[in-house]
Amino acid sequence: MSSNRVPDTLTFECETGNYHTFCPISCVAWLYQKIEDSFFLVIGTKTCGYFLQNALGVMIFAEPRYAMAELEEGDISAQLNDYVELKRLCVQIKKNRNPSVIVWIGTCTTEIIKMDLEGMAPRLEGEIGIPIVVARANGLDYAFTQGEDTVLAAMAHRCPDYNGASPNTTNQDQAIQGLLSFLPLKARNVYEEQSVSTHPPLVLFGSLPSNVVSQLNLELKKQSIQVSGWLPTQRYAELPSVGEGVYVCGVNPFLSRTATTLMRRKKCKLIGAPFPIGPDGTRAWIEKICSVFDIQPQGLEERELQVWDSLKDYINLVRGKSVFFMGDNLLEVSLARFLIRCGMIVYEIGIPYMDKRYQAAELALLQETCNQMGTLMPRIVEKPDNYNQVQRMRELQPDLAITGMAHANPLEARGISTKWSVEFTFAQIHGFTNARDILELVTRPLRRNLSLENLGWTALVKKDKINII
Amino acid sequence: MKLAYWMYAGPAHIGTLRVASSFRNVHAIMHAPLGDDYFNVMRSMLERERDFTPVTASIVDRHVLARGSQEKVVENITRKDKEERPDLIVLTPTCTSSILQEDLQNFVNRASSTSYSDVILADVNHYRVNELQAADRTLEQIVRYYLEKARKQNTLNQSISNIPSVNIIGMFTLGFHNQHDCRELKRLFQDLGIQVNEIIPEGGSIENLRNIPKAWLNIVPYREVGLMTASYLKKEFGMPYVAITPMGIVGTAEFIRQIEFYINKWAPILLGKTVNYESYIDQQTRFVSQAAWFSRSIDCQNLTGKKAVVFGDTTHAASMTKILAREMGIHVVCAGTYCKHDSDWFQEQVKGYCDEVLITDNHTDVGDMIARLEPSSIFGSQMERHIGKRLDIPCGVISAPVHIQNFPLGYRPFLGYEGTNQIADLVYNSFTLGMEDHLLEIFGGHDTKEVITKSLSTDLDLAWDSDSLSELSKIPGFVRGKIKRNTEKFARQNSLSKITVEVMYAAKEALNA
Ligand code: SF4
């Protein structure tokens, strides 16, 4: 278990919360793709639909497994019966798509009119014979990636109970077996025999693309650690069993509710580790898991060095450059920690919400990294105020602002290079293998600057406007 | 409750924000939860806007739910007032404020007593109006507010200008090719010796709104936004307006003639003579625009009788239908719009120019209609473009909703005489691309290709055996879809579940007979 405490020397500030981020319902965009047999029904208004339609872009034309249950005036004034209405839509979904689970996403409107989704779901579930999971991922309470957290926390309740007597079956491990299918059958058996685990079951939580899942599984396998399951899985029917005696560990910094649910409701033990983002984070993550299982990590140091070595060209580009995180997706602390380790100077880490307990190990590593690199501790600004941040950026003139799309073009026009933050959520950034992808993103504006250098038009707004927001 | 995947027109607040942020130095504050400021992303990305979008949110969160949002809203308004000194702050309600039922007007009153900026509450209800209707209302509301204010302060500028002048109403941010259209209209008016008095809301300043009555008449190029303002100005100031869209050669000529008509009401008094634009129309039509000549050329002759489907907002779909039918001899099998609130006008406009009319905001209806009619080309919005992709039918985009590629950097108006050239290109390219494809197939270019089942409906209970499939693949692409469907229809009618070569021939004979 985590013994890390929040270091006192990091400073935390809290601003007004006037910042731009995506609505948490956006999590359906990646979760419906991750959980192949699911269907996401967002119960909300045209506002929610319009956001999804525009944020999802072309995905919307590919018959996605999501839809809006659009509330009309009759639903708001309670002239229509919510239960009957939802049943009608869910029956239709069952008929057309036949999913193994329907996830209801509650929105601001269902919160305000107090629609009892949690109450209706079990009843309807019984009637139509499809599990219905309720996640209230609304803009009143959460930001962007926290949407995934609410969905996974709700799913955690649906995980089968772990029965200590029988070892967790390994059917979640298909991805790995698939990878190894080139091996002759015999060798595969040997492999499996070798991998029979001696440690308590370990379940990882956080939605990642399946190849990243296999990469992380393999990384742990090299330390003789067997991952017995992931939350979520490729298919709803294959959710891992959890319960007393099962260890869980998060792969993303925004999963604090899921962690809490697994600990409190499912009695799992949480391994509090830094997140496997960047080679430093990945190594610390693995080491932490190893230490909990009393395993001596093998060859990790070399592995990390090797990765750093392969990043040299990019690191030469970023070293000494400064970054400003405006904050919108909760990956900020881990990314900042990695970039500091790459030699960058981080002025500010804006972040929508900071769970100091769940992120304790990550914060400790951030502090350690700052000490090691001899850089100043960045300020961590929770619930930032975008207007104030832009003022600060005017003073600081960072080499790079990591920001949402609402601010990217205006900042670029004022000569501040930007990287659009949402890309970090969709790119593959976990594990040793993907460290390069993070730097690929971070250096893109810097490389663009190199190739457009000396053209003389970096600030592209009229003089009098540069200082005006 | 309604199951929905896609909407043609956005929620009401988007309309208000589009109008507010088009004016100079106007700031909109949305009363909304965190995450509803997606408008800023759209504006910044689609319009590639260099400036910060003048829209912020007064965020509704748990706290606010428990205690009411008065303090926060008032605070946010006063803060914005100090930070940026906008001329006007528009408090914008969202779906969330519609159900919270707080007295936003009261907050506005309180805030405006202490701020230097004017503050108004946009009068739009999420559950009653959509994006376009809301934009129309908000524009009228702002214009009315300032004209009434000017009247009270006696600063209203009511003396009409010496030379003919017009206001252009309804150009705004995120509008389909609006910027280009605006430039084209300005050019047209310059040619005609007409002054452009004010353009609202795009780039307009609140300060200048009191000059609106100086113009001789108002121009409303797009039906969706501006009509309310124009009819208010007509009622209050007796200003006539022209609501004909100058799209296509005939449309543009009609537009100019209407303007001539209104100008000549004042011209004898103020200019001492009447104006006559006929020779200008003739010159432009025959020699400047290439479209009239194009419709006589052999290229266009080849398009005669080709089938097309049109779908979009009322303005663009109606104009396009008329252009295709009366200027190019193309057979419009169906014309449709998603502006259900204006369907009567649309029906009347396209009557006689198409076989059927479709009024719906459900994209699956549109998809099914297209699959059923199998046109050679589609003219619609981005949604229709994707339907076209799935059915292998080329599509020219003529209306919002749009993507980033509909905000071209190059000059691409849809209105006026240059607009007619652009439209001719668009039409011609959509059809020739389709034909090239078919020719390739006829001459074996795509022979190795698998037969694609192109159907939007999901009733695929029929199995084709391998012989019939290979037979099907020998049929040229442009009729293959139809033969496939006819065969399946025949099989279904005769309760056959398996399709063989024999069934195909039987179907052919049955249907030809
Ligand atoms: S913030 Fe609320 S109303 Fe807005 S899109 Fe999200 S859930 Fe819907």
Side-chain angles (χ1 to χ4, degrees), chain A residues 233-369:
Chain A
T233 29
Q234 211 72 10
R235 305 188 66 79
Y236 176 76
E238 291 161 5
L239 283 178
S241 28
V242 291
E244 203 156 355
V246 174
Y247 282 79
V248 292
C249 186
V251 296
N252 265 324
F254 45 77
L255 298 171
S256 53
R257 281 170 64 91
T258 310
T260 313
T261 308
L262 288 168
M263 270 159 54
R264 299 235 174 99
R265 310 300 292 272
K266 290 292 186 175
K267 308 274 175 275
C268 299
K269 288 208 176 73
L270 178 70
I271 302 177
F275 302 100
I277 292 171
D280 48 343
T282 308
R283 177 180 165 190
W285 181 72
I286 298 173
E287 274 176 350
K288 185 64 202 260
I289 297 173
C290 286
S291 80
V292 169
F293 291 149
D294 239 347
I295 291 170
Q296 193 58 44
Q298 302 293 319
L300 262 188
E301 209 178 320
E302 299 81 70
R303 181 98 170 93
E304 191 197 350
L305 278 177
Q306 207 181 14
V307 176
W308 284 119
D309 210 45
S310 70
L311 299 177
K312 260 192 192 140
D313 49 340
Y314 278 165
I315 288 180
N316 285 338
L317 271 177
V318 299
R319 189 179 298 123
K321 299 250 167 34
S322 54
V323 198
F324 191 111
F325 283 88
M326 284 187 83
D328 69 348
N329 60 15
L330 286 95
L331 293 172
E332 292 87 0
V333 174
S334 311
L335 288 173
R337 176 260 301 149
F338 167 59
L339 293 183
I340 292 171
R341 182 68 182 70
C342 289
M344 296 187 88
I345 300 147
V346 176
Y347 288 140
E348 176 164 329
I349 305 176
I351 186 168
Y353 168 74
M354 182 78 236
D355 184 332
K356 289 182 197 159
R357 278 175 48 206
Y358 177 62
Q359 293 225 41
E362 183 63 87
L363 288 167
L365 183 59
L366 169 69
Q367 194 179 17
E368 193 189 309
T369 306

Side-chain angles (χ1 to χ4, degrees), chain A residues 23-25 44-45 47-49 51 106-109 137-140, chain B residues 33-36 95-96:
Chain A
C23 169
I25 60 173
T45 62
T47 307
C48 316
F51 163 67
T107 62
C108 300
T109 307
N138 60 70
L140 294 170
Chain B
L34 187 72
D36 279 356
C95 60
T96 305

Side-chain angles (χ1 to χ4, degrees), chain A residues 128-139:
Chain A
I128 67 169
I130 294 181
I132 295 175
V133 172
V134 180
R136 300 156 149 207
N138 60 70

Side-chain angles (χ1 to χ4, degrees), chain B residues 441-452:
Chain B
E441 292 199 29
I442 292 176
F443 294 111
H446 291 177
D447 253 355
T448 47
K449 211 165 87 179
E450 282 279 303
V451 182
I452 309 162

